[in-house]
Amino acid sequence: MNLFEVNTDTCNQDGICAAVCPAQIIGFSKGQYPKPVADADQLCIRCGHCVAVCPTESLTHKDMPAEKCPPVQPEMLPSPEQCEHFFRMRRSIRTYKEKAVDGDTLSRLIHMARFAPTGHNCQCVEWTVIGGRDKLADLGGVVVDWMRCMIQNMPESAAAVHMDRAVARWENGKDVIFRGAPMLVLAHADKSLPPAPAACIIAMAYLELAAPTLGLGGCWAGYFMAAAGNFPPMKEALALPEGHQCYAALMIGYPRFSYKRLPLRNAPKINWRIK
């Protein structure tokens, strides 16, 4: 079939599909039916906007049949008040139960996070899940080795984030790297792809926000990420696919405690530049 087909019996010729197409590969003139432009198949980014926006379900993309795309359910959408409350209740979890997170639960969570936007709809994000406190302890040790190198070779930078204290606490048996989390989730991608860093970070943000809906909580693994970016022993330990870079990491598990209040935050600083 062509890139897409239009049911001329139901199409109302409103041109909405052409108006929302990011690649502008849908030709439309008033009184006519939408049709692919030249080279549309090569230029299409497979975002599905055309299928999703059609009010009469008249457009079917060859890679995205309309019948496989569920309809939006307005009653499922949160109100502004519910959305704000949900954002405010989000906490960075640093104390976890001993309970491990099963693979099905994490798979469902990653399934939700995969709907995060990616530049040019590249969908380039890949995931690695590392489980078991012994494995995380080994990775934590590599992070601490990186800290020791930083203290020796870049003392000012190390002092700015109190790496000496972190190393001392680690040596005293405190897990300051992963906070006792049972699992670590990595978002990584081919580093040659320009959208990769933002795509991984946005996808991980989606994953963290979705975690409480499954009874989970997470915290961004900052120390780990710093080491993963430029410490060869860590890159070797992670053994990611060739050419991949880890751009986001979240420790995750079942929170040991529940929070009862919504903390305050600073008011946003907004520079308005509108007429």
Side-chain angles (χ1 to χ4, degrees), residues 40-63:
D41 208 327
Q42 292 74 33
L43 296 172
C44 178
I45 64 173
R46 273 68 181 173
C47 65
H49 277 18
C50 54
V51 176
V53 81
C54 181
T56 59
E57 300 181 30
S58 300
L59 190 148
T60 293
H61 193 287
K62 73 172 185 178
D63 297 323

Side-chain angles (χ1 to χ4, degrees), residues 4-52:
F4 61 83
E5 300 286 350
V6 175
N7 185 338
T8 57
D9 292 332
T10 58
C11 176
N12 61 16
Q13 299 174 304
D14 54 26
I16 297 176
C17 55
V20 302
C21 177
Q24 298 291 288
I25 52 94
I26 300 178
F28 174 76
S29 298
K30 188 174 181 179
Q32 301 295 318
Y33 293 104
K35 61 182 180 180
V37 302
D39 299 326
D41 208 327
Q42 292 74 33
L43 296 172
C44 178
I45 64 173
R46 273 68 181 173
C47 65
H49 277 18
C50 54
V51 176

Side-chain angles (χ1 to χ4, degrees), residues 84 88 263-270:
E84 180 177 350
R88 289 189 68 182
L264 302 179
R265 289 292 183 266
N266 295 334
K269 296 180 179 179
I270 306 174

Side-chain angles (χ1 to χ4, degrees), residues 137-168 170-171 176-178 221-238 245:
D138 290 342
L139 285 181
V142 178
V143 176
V144 173
D145 287 342
W146 166 75
M147 288 181 172
R148 294 188 180 108
C149 288
M150 290 290 292
I151 291 170
Q152 180 177 358
N153 299 306
M154 301 181 67
E156 291 184 0
S157 297
V161 290
H162 309 292
M163 287 189 186
D164 55 337
R165 293 182 61 188
V167 171
W170 176 268
E171 292 173 344
V176 295
I177 308 302
F178 298 122
Y223 282 145
F224 167 84
M225 279 302 304
N230 54 32
F231 193 49
M234 178 60 79
K235 293 184 177 182
E236 181 178 350
L238 291 179
Q245 175 70 43

Side-chain angles (χ1 to χ4, degrees), residues 16 25 46 49 52 77 84 97 113 119 124 141 159 174 179 184 192 219 228 255 261:
I16 297 176
I25 52 94
R46 273 68 181 173
H49 277 18
L77 301 178
E84 180 177 350
K97 294 179 180 179
C124 58
K174 300 292 184 181
R179 306 285 183 162
L184 181 69
S192 70
C219 184
R261 297 289 182 271

